[in-house]
Amino acid sequence: MSKALVYQTDFGTSDGAVSAMYGVAYKVEPTLRIFDLTHDIPQYNIWEASYRLVQTVQYWPEGTVFVSVVDPGVGSARRSVVARTRTGQFVVTPDNGTLTHLKLMVGLDEVRLLKEDVHRLQGSELSYTFHGRDVYAFSGARLASGQLAFDAVGDTVPVDSVVELSHVAAHREGDTVEGTIDVLDVRFGSLWSNIPHELFAGLGIEHGKRVEVSIRNDMREVYRNTMVYARSFADVALFEPLVYINSVLNVAIAINQGSFARAYNIGTGLSWKVTIRRAPRIVYE
Amino acid sequence: MSKALVYQTDFGTSDGAVSAMYGVAYKVEPTLRIFDLTHDIPQYNIWEASYRLVQTVQYWPEGTVFVSVVDPGVGSARRSVVARTRTGQFVVTPDNGTLTHLKLMVGLDEVRLLKEDVHRLQGSELSYTFHGRDVYAFSGARLASGQLAFDAVGDTVPVDSVVELSHVAAHREGDTVEGTIDVLDVRFGSLWSNIPHELFAGLGIEHGKRVEVSIRNDMREVYRNTMVYARSFADVALFEPLVYINSVLNVAIAINQGSFARAYNIGTGLSWKVTIRRAPRIVYE
Amino acid sequence: MSKALVYQTDFGTSDGAVSAMYGVAYKVEPTLRIFDLTHDIPQYNIWEASYRLVQTVQYWPEGTVFVSVVDPGVGSARRSVVARTRTGQFVVTPDNGTLTHLKLMVGLDEVRLLKEDVHRLQGSELSYTFHGRDVYAFSGARLASGQLAFDAVGDTVPVDSVVELSHVAAHREGDTVEGTIDVLDVRFGSLWSNIPHELFAGLGIEHGKRVEVSIRNDMREVYRNTMVYARSFADVALFEPLVYINSVLNVAIAINQGSFARAYNIGTGLSWKVTIRRAPRIVYE
């Protein structure tokens, strides 16, 4: 039986691009099951493409083939690759940083070069700008359907050589954990940090206790307040802030039924740092 | 054979949340057919989630399993339930009002408690904020695939006890029908009232005749005009208003190729009332 | 085995309309494979619906059934038809211009009348405004599943009689090619002209050479500059403009990682003309 094929792009779904990618895969194998991760990656935003993969991949079975096309360098010398994660899923993608989070957080088992002139939809030779359709969807479908074995994709390349975007690991310093704000829970405006729940757990703070949260953009502090470390939103009053462990088991910061990001103009990326510590007691003397 | 599984959320599709829900269901049963109602329910808007279900459910066969996750109270004491409608579809949802319209307009046959600690994706114990993935998608997939029988979900709860959002029934008073504006035909801006076509039919107004429409927000009248009661948009000139019977067989008000809601700043909800009567004759003496 | 069914509408996916269309098809045949072209056609924009079909159809196999519902004239005397393209796909649509590009660029083999009162979901007689669900999705599903043969749809109508939107063919005049800007690559803001790559190739300009591009809105020139004729975006510097052959093999104009349309306020349609010629040499004497 074929494996699932899952698409991610920054194309949106307002024109025919994604549907052409579906058609190509359907032609390869009409019984193939094709799904979407998202097509709303902000244009050219490789970091977010990388994050959405790590957020999702583990919920799909071994053998699932992801095709991720955020490809500002289409037509340049950037490589195309197929990676197998340590948990057994495949990712077909330009090697432009899209594999960053999977490499760091899940691990890559083996990576193979995908030659764009070999693994290519017949008749697409004049088209130089839509590898998503002509190369990636086509090859992903052949891989998912078993028509192309992983071993036959192309030469292996060292996992070390896979392009990584800059990143800074979260760390603990005494009673404080510090990390970056990696991404937003888009619709709800919660801040998702790169602080793993185990690192935070080292501080020994229990659910229901208060923590102090400080957020900096470069050197400038843009937010500082104390709030409850809660299990879930409903543990705090409406419109109150909270710290919680999110669905990928990292520390996150939110407002119950509000957008933290919009309320305080918080962005994402390496320049956005967050530190968390047990809230100080306030003593009147 | 498995039944169809249909998802509705307020998550949007810009991040990996919905795809993780798909992966979970696919892992339960790889041949399962999974579809979307919508993921664009405005955040926390339980009323609209309830409406979209009643607008859609009847077009799917008996046995279809809907999973609806608009869940501002995730982590609170609100119950999770599985309801069977009188027409034989299932809905897996937090019991927070999402079943309001189905209960009123279609009827609920039987409702069972879904224990969140029992019916839960293995390994998700640390995640308290994403029941959509960990509880509802997982249980919906097991139900649709036949791995979990409805009888085995949990204890029945009285249909009466299912949470209902406030609502006011449409009614007729002499020559006038009055109702509320329940929802918009989102993209087109038509007003969908809760006045059933049978109630309106009682006024004995024929297609092509003029009616008078008055719209009030609380006590204030914000619109009054006469317009044609038309079969369809094409029965009136471009940009002319009309009253018609919409696709769920309620009375609706629109502008042909325009947005009534935007043209006159009309909203939805209990404070938005509409009355319709035969247009008066205008007599010059 | 059933053929693929592919939907296109201007309904958006924020309410239950598209899901009702899915349910109707699923009820016709539960094993049917249903896909989306797009549901984000701007409201009532028949031209764009027509374009998205021609952009996509050829990537799907023979026998695929497209259902396209951009139908401002629902309820008027406009015909409903099923067309078979010269490449063997079917399109179920109101005959309102939606078939323009397919007729011109792919060719229509045979067109049959779809009687709305015959080919209609049972029980939908009171609904006059949602042919997408009641007539088109229903008939498309019956066609794709083999329950309705193309021959049995209804009488043939002359291909000549199929409604065409106004259009102007691209042409060459000496050393210059001229065309219209048909559509945008929505998310990226590139201009897609109607100039076929063969027409442009007649100018004998090689990749890497410079061309002069002039864009006019009616009589007014709104842009004139020279830029490289590139294979792909990566052939020019970041934020530099380029001319290239797009994924449907027409001439297109873009900014590498920028939006040409937004940068220079360029629109689409017959009033937007583009001319391209070899860039003049600039000689200092």
Side-chain angles (χ1 to χ4, degrees), chain B residues 74 95 186:
Chain B
V74 61
D95 180 23
V186 179

Side-chain angles (χ1 to χ4, degrees), chain B residues 171-181 191-196 199-201 203 205 209-216 224-229 242-245 250-254 273-280:
Chain B
H171 57 277
R172 178 173 164 190
E173 232 176 279
D175 291 341
T176 302
V177 290
E178 173 168 309
T180 52
I181 302 174
L191 315 181
W192 284 22
S193 82
N194 70 340
I195 304 170
L199 189 70
F200 176 74
L203 300 184
I205 299 167
K209 298 296 182 189
R210 293 189 79 80
V211 293
E212 186 182 73
V213 172
S214 158
I215 299 173
R216 293 188 326 267
R224 176 192 296 260
N225 203 352
T226 70
M227 58 189 77
V228 169
Y229 167 48
L242 67 150
V243 163
Y244 68 105
I245 303 301
N250 283 339
V251 173
I253 302 149
K273 297 245 182 14
V274 58
T275 56
I276 305 180
R277 56 182 304 156
R278 187 184 299 276

Side-chain angles (χ1 to χ4, degrees), chain C residues 3 11 20 111 132 236:
Chain C
K3 303 296 183 179
F11 300 162
V111 181
V236 302

Side-chain angles (χ1 to χ4, degrees), chain A residues 16 22 26 71 73-74 80 107 110 122 145 151 154 157 166 187 192 212 217 220 224 231 233 241 257 273 281:
Chain A
Y22 265 78
Y26 183 91
D71 192 16
V74 61
S80 293
E110 195 175 314
Q122 236 188 337
S145 67
D151 290 355
V157 300
S166 305
R187 265 228 168 171
W192 285 22
E212 186 182 74
N217 186 15
R220 196 167 54 86
R224 177 190 296 260
R231 260 204 180 77
F233 306 98
Q257 297 194 32
K273 297 245 181 13
R281 284 198 307 136

